[in-house]
Amino acid sequence: METLTQGKVCTEDIARYMVVVSDFIKTHPRTSFYGAGAFAITVLSYAFGKDVKQRIFVWINSKADQIKDPKYEEYRKQLVAPLTDLESHDPELRKEKSIRILEIGVGCGNNLKNYPEGSHLVLVDPNPHFGKYFTEKLTGNLKIKPEDIIVSKGEEMDMVPDASIDAVVVSLVLCSVTDVAKVMQQVYRVLVPGGKFLFIEHVREWDAKKYRARRALQSLLTVTRIWPFLFEGCTLNRDPLPVIKAAGFSQVEVEYFYAPILYTLFKLCSPHVIGEATK
């Protein structure tokens, strides 16, 4: 599939986007009302500082699965399926028939239940308030073994040793990092030869003809910084695939799909890519 590039938005584009927004409000008044209310509450809360901002984002994230169709869980399982047949480069872990996984942006820990039994985990997330949620999942999941929990951005996880990780997993994370290229440099650095990078991300709408309104809203809400402001830096019009392909992996396999989303507003995040890259 042809890679999409992110262009600049001119005055005519903004005028067109405003028409799209106006039409959306007319056809979806209830969703627009709740969206405006959430925006007002968030603006007031963010005014009290970074800590409150992070706590609100954690709460929103903890409710995120409620806006996804239950079928989305099948994509989570597909994401980590390659881990089943992966053999560790660590001799001690090979004896245990286990592997070492690093998850960047672990969030509420929604992927933990799908990891292979006996997996050793290194968890990285810049938001310390997620700890309550993924710790609860770890406590109730005796089949996996947490090795380290690191409060850090993916771009800055220098404390993880080179070539020490069998697989790196990211799930709806690259949309909000500051520098995708730096994250990929870190991913490539920590992976062992033959290690896997597994990713699932929402991306910019690729069918501009069929879904023109969605693509326009993705650009409008990102360029105006409304969506990133509300959702901790999340961008709707980013396609990380070119950067992933340029990171040096020997093989990159990807699949584009539309994720099942229950609520109209969040269907802006429906265009997805899921993939596997091998070092």
Side-chain angles (χ1 to χ4, degrees), residues 77-178:
K77 293 177 180 178
Q78 179 183 340
L79 171 68
V80 301
L83 300 177
T84 305
D85 299 321
L86 190 63
E87 187 177 77
S88 179
H89 276 55
D90 186 319
E92 294 303 316
L93 292 186
R94 278 205 303 273
K95 290 178 185 177
E96 299 177 16
K97 296 183 179 180
S98 179
I99 58 174
R100 181 173 291 112
I101 302 168
L102 183 151
E103 182 170 355
I104 302 173
V106 62
C108 293
N110 292 324
N111 292 319
L112 300 181
K113 62 182 178 294
N114 295 323
Y115 288 145
E117 185 173 351
S119 296
H120 289 235
L121 301 182
V122 179
L123 305 177
V124 175
D125 202 293
N127 191 329
H129 301 297
F130 276 120
K132 170 188 173 184
Y133 293 92
F134 66 70
T135 300
E136 286 177 357
K137 289 184 172 68
L138 287 171
T139 302
N141 192 344
L142 300 179
K143 70 175 184 177
I144 56 178
K145 304 173 183 179
E147 284 189 355
D148 203 358
I149 298 174
I150 302 169
V151 179
S152 171
K153 293 181 178 180
E155 298 96 325
E156 300 170 359
M157 54 182 193
D158 300 320
M159 65 291 293
V160 181
D162 294 357
S164 62
I165 303 295
D166 297 306
V168 176
V169 177
V170 297
S171 174
L172 307 178
V173 168
L174 297 180
C175 60
S176 58
V177 301
T178 304

Side-chain angles (χ1 to χ4, degrees), residues 201-206 218 236 238-240 256 271-273:
E201 297 289 336
H202 70 80
V203 296
R204 188 185 188 193
E205 174 58 60
W206 55 81
Q218 285 178 330
L236 292 167
R238 177 177 290 177
D239 183 1
Y256 284 87
H272 270 53
V273 63

Side-chain angles (χ1 to χ4, degrees), residues 2-230:
E2 184 179 354
T3 300
L4 300 173
T5 56
Q6 182 176 328
K8 294 183 179 179
V9 177
C10 64
T11 304
E12 292 180 0
D13 292 326
I14 294 176
R16 187 172 68 251
Y17 299 156
M18 293 308 296
V19 171
V20 172
V21 172
S22 177
D23 290 342
F24 180 87
I25 292 172
K26 291 177 183 177
T27 55
H28 301 87
R30 186 174 180 180
T31 299
S32 302
F33 173 78
Y34 286 128
F39 178 74
I41 292 171
T42 304
V43 169
L44 292 173
S45 301
Y46 276 30
F48 289 97
K50 181 179 179 181
D51 184 72
V52 173
K53 176 181 175 182
Q54 287 182 326
R55 289 177 185 274
I56 291 173
F57 180 69
V58 168
W59 180 82
I60 292 172
N61 201 276
S62 71
K63 306 297 181 184
D65 274 2
Q66 296 178 15
I67 67 171
K68 296 188 181 78
D69 190 290
K71 294 177 183 177
Y72 194 86
E73 182 60 27
E74 295 305 310
Y75 289 105
R76 291 192 193 278
K77 293 177 180 178
Q78 179 183 340
L79 171 68
V80 301
L83 300 177
T84 305
D85 299 321
L86 190 63
E87 187 177 77
S88 179
H89 276 55
D90 186 319
E92 294 303 316
L93 292 186
R94 278 205 303 273
K95 290 178 185 177
E96 299 177 16
K97 296 183 179 180
S98 179
I99 58 174
R100 181 173 291 112
I101 302 168
L102 183 151
E103 182 170 355
I104 302 173
V106 62
C108 293
N110 292 324
N111 292 319
L112 300 181
K113 62 182 178 294
N114 295 323
Y115 288 145
E117 185 173 351
S119 296
H120 289 235
L121 301 182
V122 179
L123 305 177
V124 175
D125 202 293
N127 191 329
H129 301 297
F130 276 120
K132 170 188 173 184
Y133 293 92
F134 66 70
T135 300
E136 286 177 357
K137 289 184 172 68
L138 287 171
T139 302
N141 192 344
L142 300 179
K143 70 175 184 177
I144 56 178
K145 304 173 183 179
E147 284 189 355
D148 203 358
I149 298 174
I150 302 169
V151 179
S152 171
K153 293 181 178 180
E155 298 96 325
E156 300 170 359
M157 54 182 193
D158 300 320
M159 65 291 293
V160 181
D162 294 357
S164 62
I165 303 295
D166 297 306
V168 176
V169 177
V170 297
S171 174
L172 307 178
V173 168
L174 297 180
C175 60
S176 58
V177 301
T178 304
D179 191 327
V180 178
K182 284 187 178 179
V183 173
M184 295 314 305
Q185 289 171 6
Q186 291 280 14
V187 169
Y188 195 84
R189 177 185 66 80
V190 303
L191 278 174
V192 298
K196 300 288 186 179
F197 172 55
L198 308 177
F199 56 94
I200 182 170
E201 297 289 336
H202 70 80
V203 296
R204 188 185 188 193
E205 174 58 60
W206 55 81
D207 192 340
K209 193 175 223 180
K210 187 174 181 180
Y211 297 109
R212 184 179 66 172
R214 173 155 54 206
R215 184 159 165 171
L217 278 171
Q218 285 178 330
S219 292
L220 174 66
L221 293 174
T222 300
V223 171
T224 58
R225 305 304 297 168
I226 293 173
W227 196 272
F229 178 75
L230 288 173

Side-chain angles (χ1 to χ4, degrees), residues 229-269:
F229 178 75
L230 288 173
F231 299 107
E232 197 74 347
C234 174
T235 55
L236 292 167
N237 62 349
R238 177 177 290 177
D239 183 1
L241 192 54
V243 182
I244 294 172
K245 287 183 174 180
F249 294 104
S250 61
Q251 185 177 8
V252 179
E253 300 177 7
V254 298
E255 173 191 345
Y256 284 87
F257 69 98
Y258 289 106
I261 305 289
L262 296 178
Y263 291 93
T264 302
L265 177 62
F266 290 96
K267 287 183 179 179
L268 290 168
C269 303

